[in-house]
Amino acid sequence: MTSRTLIKDLASLPDGPVHVQGWVEKVRDQKRVQFVILRDESGSAQLVNSVNDETAATAATISGLMHGSFVTVEGDLKADERVKLGGLEVKVRSLTVESVAKDSPIADDSSIDKRLDWRFLDLRRPEAQLIFRVQTTIEHAMRQHWIDEGFIELHTPKLMATASESRAELFEVPYFETTAYLAQSPQLFKQMAQSAGFGKIFEIGPAFRADPSYTSRHATEFTSIDSEISWIDSHEDVMQLHEQLLTKALAAVVERHGADIEQHFGIQLQVPALPFPRIPHAEVKAIVEARGHTIERTDGDLDPEAERQISAHVKETTGHDFVFVTEYPSSVRPFYHLRPEGRGDVTNSYDLIYNGVEISTGAQREHRVDVLEAQIVEKGMNPAELEEYLDFFRYGTPPHGGFGMGLARVVMLLLGLGSIRETTYLFRGPTRLTP
Amino acid sequence: MTSRTLIKDLASLPDGPVHVQGWVEKVRDQKRVQFVILRDESGSAQLVNSVNDETAATAATISGLMHGSFVTVEGDLKADERVKLGGLEVKVRSLTVESVAKDSPIADDSSIDKRLDWRFLDLRRPEAQLIFRVQTTIEHAMRQHWIDEGFIELHTPKLMATASESRAELFEVPYFETTAYLAQSPQLFKQMAQSAGFGKIFEIGPAFRADPSYTSRHATEFTSIDSEISWIDSHEDVMQLHEQLLTKALAAVVERHGADIEQHFGIQLQVPALPFPRIPHAEVKAIVEARGHTIERTDGDLDPEAERQISAHVKETTGHDFVFVTEYPSSVRPFYHLRPEGRGDVTNSYDLIYNGVEISTGAQREHRVDVLEAQIVEKGMNPAELEEYLDFFRYGTPPHGGFGMGLARVVMLLLGLGSIRETTYLFRGPTRLTP
């Protein structure tokens, strides 16, 4: 394994013997000379074989090559400016087929559903691999910030005895003599960490919603980025953490993948300025209405078009891609969002909107058990069903807050893609449970 | 939030005003002077209040303090060598109770089951928090190595249409019109990434086993550390990655937490030497038998006592805490483990044993579809049920291998603890689904 050279590293090597391995992307089989485009996880390069008596065996192998087959190549690297692909080629000395591929059932113009059926072939596209390299960079930059700031990483259980968010959209799991539920979010458990005195925590892990919708933004299983911190004064402290994390993530993406993103997605990515704009929910509604959009929802929440409109407004007036919509009405927020002193109608909460789509909800949590109980009743829920949760607050919990954010949405919006199906390794929806 | 000082940082500050926040660990309420031990996520410090007319209000608050309550304190820091706890104390100017605690239902001598019932209080113990700081450091050090080596991070789905490992110990989930299963491991999906040409991948995420056992090492939900790499020559390449990751993780733990671990767990942790010892399975059996242990299992696999014995042998002869037991018999390995050329009886696989307990299984995977099909039949399984998996290999897959490792086991063995119940944030077992 040690002797293998990644294709991206060929350019920095002197002419001479190399050992490359990857899959066959293209074959041009001419009478006197054969060309093979070989791709690996780092890039692609041209292999060349002059057909003559000495190379007859290799020529026969190349003539029979199937696209997608994985091969090992011993050859001689030669820099050559005339070669469009990287200005170099590898003269084949030997080519061994490690794994033969059948004809690919998908093509460049296949539907997204067909591509998802054959996701492992679909993911061989360079731009698909770039998506997951970008995702890797985002996560690592965020984790580095959390680590630098003394956060503890949690792995909260996904099997629960009760619902984490609501009784709706809940997956049930027969569990020995009882029934478990799949966690809709780590909400309860990350709050528990505050009661445990952990101070500052983060988690990146799966969350599950038995959501029957088929939009470009919803999945039944998704990767949730969560963080929770103690001793905040308000949701402002949460927003500051949130915008720092995203700025560091974007900076790392620009540095490592900026050129590749421009090449494959035609986007010139920029690091967002701090602080992100903040606009109270009531003001957002007025701005959106002034722009001619009437929100049809009767519960007071924003609709997707309102999110697009406020995002457009912010982009036009400040040039910013992000906007925190703050102080959501308590009517559209869960019982555990804290309401500021003397204002029962709003919450210390926010949604973060990125390029027109909501990617996150954050809030200060209510930590006073009597207020919590009252808000549970007000929401038509039964405090008795939440006894274990309420216990966190009966044994002491500092003021705290946090956010949850969908990873696939962030990557989708960052790369200007149309659906989280493209930015999820293996998408799960109501009719999609394979591969 | 900005003005808060962490208790661990008090020692480096000059005498003067400070703002600290945490929970009340102990109160000594004397007639003329009151002492409070305040703890936060970073450590503990002594608060002091001289009782007189001027401080009467504060004195009354302190007299009524419940253990576990979260408080905000404004005070004056004073270095004082006579104070055992850190050589400093904080003279209270004001103390505000942010959240009152009821009397704790658990004590130092509570059973593990009782402690798990009240896990959020149990986790307030400094040694419990240290466990999760150590875990955080292990994960970050491993991820840093993966990132430095160009790995892609994956989040594979936990909802699957088929079993990932076997039909046994499988959680079923009613899923719209059909049935899903919870992933027992990311095995299929990390192999898929090799077929997709991702090259090198890692994932840290949950895995689920409907395992009815009640040992100190088993859980129904656990955090699995997984990695998979292409273009290996054998399982030796996987072991090299594996031992590098663990050595970096241990080095980071020693550096960041070595002194704390010695204080709380009485262990002088050392960074393991490279390479880790490797002993073939057949040789292990001979060594264990020579030490007087007869393996009762008839399938040829090792039993827990054999793992303890070989670990003791290696410790005695080399001083090493880790040992790779290699070339397991194919009879006790899954169909997808590759068998070396001309030897159908063994596999290119290993188990990693740490301080007497198995923490991981790794292997080179079989990537030749005809061999895979034969091995599936040999294991009494039906290739038709594995069509989607087999397709990975019909469209080309390079030679590859990887490992899966239980995070809670690693932390348990590293800290010399008796059960993964101590090293799992919220343990899940057949009769444990809460909190």
PDB file of all heavy atoms in Angstrom, chain B residues 14 36 53 69 76 81 104 115 131 191 196 212 227 249 257 287 311 336 348 362 384 393 411 431:
ATOM      1  N   PRO B  14      -4.892  37.828  39.565  1.00  0.00           N
ATOM      2  CA  PRO B  14      -4.476  38.575  40.764  1.00  0.00           C
ATOM      3  C   PRO B  14      -5.652  38.698  41.731  1.00  0.00           C
ATOM      4  O   PRO B  14      -6.819  38.518  41.330  1.00  0.00           O
ATOM      5  CB  PRO B  14      -4.110  39.952  40.190  1.00  0.00           C
ATOM      6  CG  PRO B  14      -4.964  40.089  38.969  1.00  0.00           C
ATOM      7  CD  PRO B  14      -5.102  38.704  38.396  1.00  0.00           C
ATOM      8  N   VAL B  36     -18.566  27.799  51.505  1.00  0.00           N
ATOM      9  CA  VAL B  36     -19.314  27.070  50.466  1.00  0.00           C
ATOM     10  C   VAL B  36     -18.294  26.535  49.469  1.00  0.00           C
ATOM     11  O   VAL B  36     -17.412  27.287  49.026  1.00  0.00           O
ATOM     12  CB  VAL B  36     -20.294  28.016  49.717  1.00  0.00           C
ATOM     13  CG1 VAL B  36     -20.987  27.261  48.572  1.00  0.00           C
ATOM     14  CG2 VAL B  36     -21.307  28.610  50.673  1.00  0.00           C
ATOM     15  N   ASP B  53     -23.276  42.152  60.765  1.00  0.00           N
ATOM     16  CA  ASP B  53     -24.494  42.904  60.435  1.00  0.00           C
ATOM     17  C   ASP B  53     -24.567  43.236  58.943  1.00  0.00           C
ATOM     18  O   ASP B  53     -25.615  43.116  58.310  1.00  0.00           O
ATOM     19  CB  ASP B  53     -24.548  44.208  61.245  1.00  0.00           C
ATOM     20  CG  ASP B  53     -24.865  43.916  62.701  1.00  0.00           C
ATOM     21  OD1 ASP B  53     -25.182  42.733  62.999  1.00  0.00           O
ATOM     22  OD2 ASP B  53     -24.783  44.831  63.524  1.00  0.00           O
ATOM     23  N   SER B  69     -27.750  23.330  44.078  1.00  0.00           N
ATOM     24  CA  SER B  69     -28.328  24.537  43.492  1.00  0.00           C
ATOM     25  C   SER B  69     -27.275  25.277  42.674  1.00  0.00           C
ATOM     26  O   SER B  69     -26.094  25.259  43.009  1.00  0.00           O
ATOM     27  CB  SER B  69     -28.836  25.465  44.602  1.00  0.00           C
ATOM     28  OG  SER B  69     -29.868  24.831  45.323  1.00  0.00           O
ATOM     29  N   ASP B  76     -14.562  38.640  45.956  1.00  0.00           N
ATOM     30  CA  ASP B  76     -13.177  39.090  45.844  1.00  0.00           C
ATOM     31  C   ASP B  76     -12.249  37.896  46.020  1.00  0.00           C
ATOM     32  O   ASP B  76     -12.270  37.228  47.054  1.00  0.00           O
ATOM     33  CB  ASP B  76     -12.886  40.177  46.888  1.00  0.00           C
ATOM     34  CG  ASP B  76     -13.654  41.447  46.583  1.00  0.00           C
ATOM     35  OD1 ASP B  76     -13.353  42.070  45.547  1.00  0.00           O
ATOM     36  OD2 ASP B  76     -14.606  41.775  47.340  1.00  0.00           O
ATOM     37  N   GLU B  81      -2.421  30.562  50.965  1.00  0.00           N
ATOM     38  CA  GLU B  81      -1.775  29.242  50.973  1.00  0.00           C
ATOM     39  C   GLU B  81      -2.431  28.263  51.939  1.00  0.00           C
ATOM     40  O   GLU B  81      -2.345  27.055  51.756  1.00  0.00           O
ATOM     41  CB  GLU B  81      -0.296  29.389  51.368  1.00  0.00           C
ATOM     42  CG  GLU B  81       0.583  29.901  50.242  1.00  0.00           C
ATOM     43  CD  GLU B  81       2.037  30.002  50.678  1.00  0.00           C
ATOM     44  OE1 GLU B  81       2.332  29.601  51.825  1.00  0.00           O
ATOM     45  OE2 GLU B  81       2.856  30.478  49.876  1.00  0.00           O
ATOM     46  N   SER B 104     -30.604  15.594  46.928  1.00  0.00           N
ATOM     47  CA  SER B 104     -30.215  14.570  45.954  1.00  0.00           C
ATOM     48  C   SER B 104     -30.700  13.184  46.386  1.00  0.00           C
ATOM     49  O   SER B 104     -30.523  12.790  47.532  1.00  0.00           O
ATOM     50  CB  SER B 104     -28.699  14.538  45.796  1.00  0.00           C
ATOM     51  OG  SER B 104     -28.341  13.505  44.921  1.00  0.00           O
ATOM     52  N   ARG B 115     -27.737   5.068  40.474  1.00  0.00           N
ATOM     53  CA  ARG B 115     -27.022   6.201  39.886  1.00  0.00           C
ATOM     54  C   ARG B 115     -27.464   6.444  38.446  1.00  0.00           C
ATOM     55  O   ARG B 115     -27.602   7.581  38.007  1.00  0.00           O
ATOM     56  CB  ARG B 115     -25.500   5.969  39.951  1.00  0.00           C
ATOM     57  CG  ARG B 115     -24.933   6.114  41.365  1.00  0.00           C
ATOM     58  CD  ARG B 115     -23.418   6.297  41.357  1.00  0.00           C
ATOM     59  NE  ARG B 115     -22.676   5.085  41.084  1.00  0.00           N
ATOM     60  CZ  ARG B 115     -21.961   4.867  39.974  1.00  0.00           C
ATOM     61  NH1 ARG B 115     -21.896   5.788  39.033  1.00  0.00           N
ATOM     62  NH2 ARG B 115     -21.311   3.734  39.818  1.00  0.00           N
ATOM     63  N   ILE B 131     -14.353  11.513  32.557  1.00  0.00           N
ATOM     64  CA  ILE B 131     -14.560  10.428  31.584  1.00  0.00           C
ATOM     65  C   ILE B 131     -14.947  10.994  30.219  1.00  0.00           C
ATOM     66  O   ILE B 131     -14.407  10.601  29.183  1.00  0.00           O
ATOM     67  CB  ILE B 131     -15.659   9.454  32.085  1.00  0.00           C
ATOM     68  CG1 ILE B 131     -15.146   8.632  33.274  1.00  0.00           C
ATOM     69  CG2 ILE B 131     -16.137   8.542  30.957  1.00  0.00           C
ATOM     70  CD1 ILE B 131     -16.230   7.844  34.004  1.00  0.00           C
ATOM     71  N   GLN B 191     -18.315  -0.146   3.132  1.00  0.00           N
ATOM     72  CA  GLN B 191     -17.778  -0.851   1.964  1.00  0.00           C
ATOM     73  C   GLN B 191     -18.273  -0.188   0.679  1.00  0.00           C
ATOM     74  O   GLN B 191     -17.543  -0.074  -0.291  1.00  0.00           O
ATOM     75  CB  GLN B 191     -18.196  -2.323   1.999  1.00  0.00           C
ATOM     76  CG  GLN B 191     -17.444  -3.131   3.046  1.00  0.00           C
ATOM     77  CD  GLN B 191     -17.610  -4.626   2.811  1.00  0.00           C
ATOM     78  OE1 GLN B 191     -18.370  -5.275   3.504  1.00  0.00           O
ATOM     79  NE2 GLN B 191     -16.901  -5.158   1.835  1.00  0.00           N
ATOM     80  N   ALA B 196     -17.616   3.338  -4.322  1.00  0.00           N
ATOM     81  CA  ALA B 196     -17.855   4.692  -4.826  1.00  0.00           C
ATOM     82  C   ALA B 196     -16.546   5.440  -5.081  1.00  0.00           C
ATOM     83  O   ALA B 196     -16.569   6.579  -5.534  1.00  0.00           O
ATOM     84  CB  ALA B 196     -18.719   5.476  -3.831  1.00  0.00           C
ATOM     85  N   PRO B 212     -29.841  -9.377  24.216  1.00  0.00           N
ATOM     86  CA  PRO B 212     -30.457  -9.509  25.545  1.00  0.00           C
ATOM     87  C   PRO B 212     -29.447  -9.715  26.668  1.00  0.00           C
ATOM     88  O   PRO B 212     -29.848 -10.032  27.784  1.00  0.00           O
ATOM     89  CB  PRO B 212     -31.351 -10.744  25.360  1.00  0.00           C
ATOM     90  CG  PRO B 212     -30.676 -11.553  24.304  1.00  0.00           C
ATOM     91  CD  PRO B 212     -29.924 -10.606  23.421  1.00  0.00           C
ATOM     92  N   SER B 227     -13.707   2.767  10.384  1.00  0.00           N
ATOM     93  CA  SER B 227     -12.877   3.307   9.324  1.00  0.00           C
ATOM     94  C   SER B 227     -12.703   2.232   8.251  1.00  0.00           C
ATOM     95  O   SER B 227     -12.772   1.033   8.548  1.00  0.00           O
ATOM     96  CB  SER B 227     -11.519   3.744   9.892  1.00  0.00           C
ATOM     97  OG  SER B 227     -10.857   4.607   8.988  1.00  0.00           O
ATOM     98  N   ALA B 249      -4.410   8.962  19.917  1.00  0.00           N
ATOM     99  CA  ALA B 249      -5.468   9.223  20.900  1.00  0.00           C
ATOM    100  C   ALA B 249      -4.906   9.153  22.315  1.00  0.00           C
ATOM    101  O   ALA B 249      -5.130  10.045  23.143  1.00  0.00           O
ATOM    102  CB  ALA B 249      -6.606   8.214  20.724  1.00  0.00           C
ATOM    103  N   HIS B 257      -4.903  15.064  29.975  1.00  0.00           N
ATOM    104  CA  HIS B 257      -5.605  14.604  31.175  1.00  0.00           C
ATOM    105  C   HIS B 257      -4.761  13.681  32.054  1.00  0.00           C
ATOM    106  O   HIS B 257      -5.291  13.104  33.008  1.00  0.00           O
ATOM    107  CB  HIS B 257      -6.885  13.852  30.776  1.00  0.00           C
ATOM    108  CG  HIS B 257      -7.726  14.557  29.758  1.00  0.00           C
ATOM    109  ND1 HIS B 257      -8.427  15.711  30.044  1.00  0.00           N
ATOM    110  CD2 HIS B 257      -7.970  14.277  28.448  1.00  0.00           C
ATOM    111  CE1 HIS B 257      -9.070  16.109  28.937  1.00  0.00           C
ATOM    112  NE2 HIS B 257      -8.807  15.260  27.968  1.00  0.00           N
ATOM    113  N   ILE B 287      -0.769 -20.616  23.401  1.00  0.00           N
ATOM    114  CA  ILE B 287      -0.243 -19.871  24.559  1.00  0.00           C
ATOM    115  C   ILE B 287      -1.225 -19.935  25.730  1.00  0.00           C
ATOM    116  O   ILE B 287      -0.854 -20.179  26.874  1.00  0.00           O
ATOM    117  CB  ILE B 287       0.048 -18.405  24.169  1.00  0.00           C
ATOM    118  CG1 ILE B 287       1.225 -18.324  23.181  1.00  0.00           C
ATOM    119  CG2 ILE B 287       0.326 -17.552  25.411  1.00  0.00           C
ATOM    120  CD1 ILE B 287       1.398 -16.970  22.512  1.00  0.00           C
ATOM    121  N   SER B 311      -3.787 -11.382  26.846  1.00  0.00           N
ATOM    122  CA  SER B 311      -3.423 -10.020  27.216  1.00  0.00           C
ATOM    123  C   SER B 311      -2.387 -10.039  28.347  1.00  0.00           C
ATOM    124  O   SER B 311      -1.389  -9.310  28.305  1.00  0.00           O
ATOM    125  CB  SER B 311      -4.686  -9.278  27.657  1.00  0.00           C
ATOM    126  OG  SER B 311      -4.575  -7.911  27.442  1.00  0.00           O
ATOM    127  N   TYR B 336     -17.871 -11.974   4.630  1.00  0.00           N
ATOM    128  CA  TYR B 336     -17.188 -10.921   3.861  1.00  0.00           C
ATOM    129  C   TYR B 336     -15.713 -10.740   4.232  1.00  0.00           C
ATOM    130  O   TYR B 336     -15.034  -9.880   3.678  1.00  0.00           O
ATOM    131  CB  TYR B 336     -17.952  -9.590   3.955  1.00  0.00           C
ATOM    132  CG  TYR B 336     -18.238  -9.108   5.355  1.00  0.00           C
ATOM    133  CD1 TYR B 336     -17.255  -8.479   6.110  1.00  0.00           C
ATOM    134  CD2 TYR B 336     -19.501  -9.273   5.923  1.00  0.00           C
ATOM    135  CE1 TYR B 336     -17.512  -8.037   7.397  1.00  0.00           C
ATOM    136  CE2 TYR B 336     -19.763  -8.846   7.210  1.00  0.00           C
ATOM    137  CZ  TYR B 336     -18.779  -8.222   7.938  1.00  0.00           C
ATOM    138  OH  TYR B 336     -19.034  -7.781   9.208  1.00  0.00           O
ATOM    139  N   ASN B 348      -8.016 -12.946   6.578  1.00  0.00           N
ATOM    140  CA  ASN B 348      -7.154 -11.769   6.743  1.00  0.00           C
ATOM    141  C   ASN B 348      -7.808 -10.817   7.739  1.00  0.00           C
ATOM    142  O   ASN B 348      -8.222  -9.722   7.389  1.00  0.00           O
ATOM    143  CB  ASN B 348      -6.949 -11.069   5.399  1.00  0.00           C
ATOM    144  CG  ASN B 348      -5.785 -11.652   4.610  1.00  0.00           C
ATOM    145  OD1 ASN B 348      -5.176 -12.629   5.052  1.00  0.00           O
ATOM    146  ND2 ASN B 348      -5.479 -11.055   3.474  1.00  0.00           N
ATOM    147  N   GLY B 362     -11.211  -6.153  12.936  1.00  0.00           N
ATOM    148  CA  GLY B 362     -10.826  -5.564  11.654  1.00  0.00           C
ATOM    149  C   GLY B 362     -10.543  -6.663  10.659  1.00  0.00           C
ATOM    150  O   GLY B 362     -10.319  -7.821  11.035  1.00  0.00           O
ATOM    151  N   ALA B 384     -29.472 -14.139  -2.775  1.00  0.00           N
ATOM    152  CA  ALA B 384     -30.550 -13.302  -3.322  1.00  0.00           C
ATOM    153  C   ALA B 384     -30.933 -12.181  -2.357  1.00  0.00           C
ATOM    154  O   ALA B 384     -31.357 -11.104  -2.767  1.00  0.00           O
ATOM    155  CB  ALA B 384     -31.775 -14.173  -3.637  1.00  0.00           C
ATOM    156  N   PHE B 393     -19.862  -4.987  -5.856  1.00  0.00           N
ATOM    157  CA  PHE B 393     -18.674  -5.685  -6.359  1.00  0.00           C
ATOM    158  C   PHE B 393     -18.805  -6.027  -7.843  1.00  0.00           C
ATOM    159  O   PHE B 393     -17.828  -6.323  -8.500  1.00  0.00           O
ATOM    160  CB  PHE B 393     -18.433  -6.936  -5.506  1.00  0.00           C
ATOM    161  CG  PHE B 393     -18.416  -6.597  -4.033  1.00  0.00           C
ATOM    162  CD1 PHE B 393     -19.563  -6.723  -3.262  1.00  0.00           C
ATOM    163  CD2 PHE B 393     -17.272  -6.078  -3.449  1.00  0.00           C
ATOM    164  CE1 PHE B 393     -19.564  -6.366  -1.922  1.00  0.00           C
ATOM    165  CE2 PHE B 393     -17.264  -5.713  -2.109  1.00  0.00           C
ATOM    166  CZ  PHE B 393     -18.406  -5.865  -1.341  1.00  0.00           C
ATOM    167  N   VAL B 411     -12.753   3.581  26.382  1.00  0.00           N
ATOM    168  CA  VAL B 411     -12.654   4.502  27.524  1.00  0.00           C
ATOM    169  C   VAL B 411     -12.689   3.722  28.842  1.00  0.00           C
ATOM    170  O   VAL B 411     -11.937   4.012  29.779  1.00  0.00           O
ATOM    171  CB  VAL B 411     -13.776   5.560  27.471  1.00  0.00           C
ATOM    172  CG1 VAL B 411     -13.678   6.501  28.659  1.00  0.00           C
ATOM    173  CG2 VAL B 411     -13.708   6.347  26.169  1.00  0.00           C
ATOM    174  N   THR B 431     -33.269  -3.733  29.848  1.00  0.00           N
ATOM    175  CA  THR B 431     -34.231  -3.192  30.809  1.00  0.00           C
ATOM    176  C   THR B 431     -33.912  -1.732  31.154  1.00  0.00           C
ATOM    177  O   THR B 431     -34.355  -1.222  32.179  1.00  0.00           O
ATOM    178  CB  THR B 431     -34.219  -4.016  32.113  1.00  0.00           C
ATOM    179  OG1 THR B 431     -32.876  -4.041  32.618  1.00  0.00           O
ATOM    180  CG2 THR B 431     -34.694  -5.439  31.864  1.00  0.00           C
TER     181      THR B 431
END
